[in-house]
Amino acid sequence: MAASTDIPPRPAGTAPAETAAWSKLHGAGDASAAVQPWLELAVATINAAVPGPDGLLGVMGAFVAMRGQDGPRFARVASVGEGAVSFLLAKSAERCLQVGRMSLNRDEPSSTVQLAVPIMRVDRLEGVVAMELPIASMSRIEEVTRLVQWGLGWFFRAPGEASTPDQDSWAWLAQVLDAAELPVALEAACTALATRVGLTRVSIGYGAAERMRVRGTSRGRLSDLPTDFVGSLSAVMNEAVEADTSLLVPAPEGQGAAVVAHQRLLRSREDVQWLVTLPAALPRPEGAVTHVALTLEGEGTPPAPELLEAWGMVAGRLAPAIAWRLRAERGLLGHAAAVVRPGPGKRPYILAAVAVAVLGLALFPVTHRINARATVEGMVRRTLAVPFDGYLAEASVRPGDRVTAGATLARMDDRELRLQRLDYQSRVNEARRQADEAIGRRDMAAAAIASARREQAEAELRLVESHITRSVLAAPYDAIVIAGDPLQSIGAPMRRGETVYEISPLESFRIALEVDEHDFGMLQLGQGGRLVLASLPYHSYRLEVVKVTPVASARDGRTAFRVEARLEGVEPQLRPGMQGIAKVEVGTSPLAWVWLRSVVNWARIKIWGWMP
């Protein structure tokens, strides 16, 4: 289509019916007279692009309804086909007029699809285009919709009126500013410009010099995957931005810039006779975006210089609108980066602000805390041992079990002891009888010997009874078993003094801290801190240092000192043996010293070791 004319040249090989429609469209004196030929041409174009099944026509019926001049009522002004006013199509058009946007209805019983597209003039609804197609065309309904939308630019234009894109640039700016997403806005602006001016394709891109990217086109949404066509368009825009002027091919006289990328793209397009790219610089760079480029492709003779100037004004007005959208859509980090991004005259202030911030952060006083490995221990640790040599007969608890005072934990085998008790009881009785007989014979020496034997037997009997009593190992108080698992040793011989269980009360705990040797000198009695256990990571416990032991031990290749701390309050979920990390507060220091203290101390030791 010629860019400077209102009605494109009639395609070669047009059917007679279409020829008549083109003639009516050219000779229409007003908009009402142009609607019927426009609809006939639109139906013919869709039937050629999207044919129906078995060679039948794709559009079964269509009509156009426009707003009346005397009120808000809509009336049908053009129709094509026998099914132009079917009930389903009328309902779809009515729904489109009610909601002000495209309506699509799929009717399975009749195997038809009803499509209604609104006719908009800026923000005012002026009418609707409704078409009924076979249900087999559903897969290509987007293409049908696009063809209808491209043709809507014919409305609201007086026949023979020359295209004036500068007059409509404010409407396109409104589309860019009002759309929910920038890609959708750019696509709408490109489609509006191509339809209004009568161009084959309009594309918009933005970016920096030599890094321009295509962001929208009048032929639908661009693919996210890189293609040769998108790469060619990007090269064309980069070429125009580098030249800093509009580039037209075929090149007119006086255009001295290289147009290699433009000529390559023009040779690859059979339906395009000319190509122009209009660059525009943003008033203020938005991150990596410094330029906007508008590429227009058309048929017929190249546009006149006056039209190129008008299109250049369109690109100049789109550039700040796109910059505004980019500025509005950047996130919090983007706004922060824009504030600190170096610019003319900003670098010294940014460097000074960074230096002040770093210095202030380094000197900011914070609580100095020392990290240490921590283990929960019982304040009292009681050992239950084997009372005599013998065999283990019973064990009823395992480590981790809670026991009450007096509960039986284990029992030694006392059968041999009971037999010994009977033996010693009989010896006591025998010695008592012998002593009585000796006294009756007045044999005082024999009586004394018998009494001595009786006392010896009684002593042995008391020892055996004591062993029987101690054969039962009972808990001395409410506690938890922290060590010992004799269940595997039932029936095995055990020697006196061997540990059976270790128990600890639940009322009091102490925290054993392993403090690194580099931090040990900073600890003092009474210092507080917090403890977080690995098994209870969402709760911290307050602690206080109560004992500092200057005894070192090696563990995991480092030297540590044992420090004991007391918990403030007892939690029921605490158990001896739990481990975690404790942080002891040793004072207040600058943040830089807290971070660098270990490095400084290491450097001091190394320098001292190297010094002669």
Side-chain angles (χ1 to χ4, degrees), residues 441-460:
R441 296 193 308 268
R442 298 184 181 277
D443 187 355
M444 302 307 298
I449 294 174
S451 296
R453 289 177 180 173
R454 179 180 58 79
E455 293 176 357
Q456 181 181 3
E458 289 177 349
E460 294 290 346

Side-chain angles (χ1 to χ4, degrees), residues 356-368:
V356 171
V358 171
L359 182 61
L361 186 64
L363 299 180
F364 185 76
V366 296
T367 302
H368 192 176

Side-chain angles (χ1 to χ4, degrees), residues 68-138:
Q69 297 181 357
D70 55 349
R73 298 178 62 85
F74 294 85
R76 183 169 58 122
V77 295
S79 61
V80 172
E82 297 180 357
V85 290
S86 68
F87 175 76
L88 294 176
L89 188 58
K91 293 296 291 184
S92 182
E94 182 181 357
R95 187 181 307 110
C96 176
L97 292 174
Q98 289 176 350
V99 300
R101 58 176 180 268
M102 186 188 74
S103 174
L104 180 63
N105 177 56
R106 176 172 177 169
D107 187 62
E108 296 288 350
S110 62
S111 299
T112 57
V113 174
Q114 291 77 34
L115 172 67
V117 180
I119 303 174
M120 305 292 297
R121 187 172 189 176
V122 188
D123 293 332
R124 177 181 170 85
L125 178 64
E126 296 291 347
V128 62
V129 179
M131 294 186 179
E132 191 167 34
L133 300 95
I135 200 170
S137 304
M138 189 67 185

Side-chain angles (χ1 to χ4, degrees), residues 414 423 595:
D414 59 352
D423 180 42
W595 284 346

Side-chain angles (χ1 to χ4, degrees), residues 2-193:
S4 60
T5 60
D6 185 53
I7 300 178
R10 185 170 63 253
T14 304
E18 297 180 34
T19 302
W22 280 106
S23 300
K24 293 179 182 180
L25 189 60
H26 278 277
D30 53 20
S32 60
V35 175
Q36 182 65 37
W38 176 90
L39 182 60
E40 295 175 358
L41 289 174
V43 170
T45 302
I46 294 174
N47 287 337
V50 188
D54 301 328
L56 300 177
L57 294 180
V59 179
M60 303 170 61
F63 71 88
V64 176
M66 300 292 294
R67 181 187 296 272
Q69 297 181 357
D70 55 349
R73 298 178 62 85
F74 294 85
R76 183 169 58 122
V77 295
S79 61
V80 172
E82 297 180 357
V85 290
S86 68
F87 175 76
L88 294 176
L89 188 58
K91 293 296 291 184
S92 182
E94 182 181 357
R95 187 181 307 110
C96 176
L97 292 174
Q98 289 176 350
V99 300
R101 58 176 180 268
M102 186 188 74
S103 174
L104 180 63
N105 177 56
R106 176 172 177 169
D107 187 62
E108 296 288 350
S110 62
S111 299
T112 57
V113 174
Q114 291 77 34
L115 172 67
V117 180
I119 303 174
M120 305 292 297
R121 187 172 189 176
V122 188
D123 293 332
R124 177 181 170 85
L125 178 64
E126 296 291 347
V128 62
V129 179
M131 294 186 179
E132 191 167 34
L133 300 95
I135 200 170
S137 304
M138 189 67 185
S139 60
R140 304 185 66 180
I141 199 68
E142 292 185 4
E143 185 176 352
V144 174
T145 305
R146 191 179 303 116
L147 290 173
V148 174
Q149 289 174 340
W150 286 347
L152 292 180
W154 288 92
F155 291 93
F156 318 121
R157 295 168 58 188
E161 179 187 0
S163 299
T164 56
D166 177 57
Q167 297 176 0
D168 291 335
S169 60
W170 299 113
W172 301 329
L173 290 180
Q175 290 179 332
V176 173
L177 297 175
D178 293 342
E181 299 179 359
L182 183 57
V184 177
L186 296 179
E187 180 182 346
C190 290
T191 302
L193 180 58

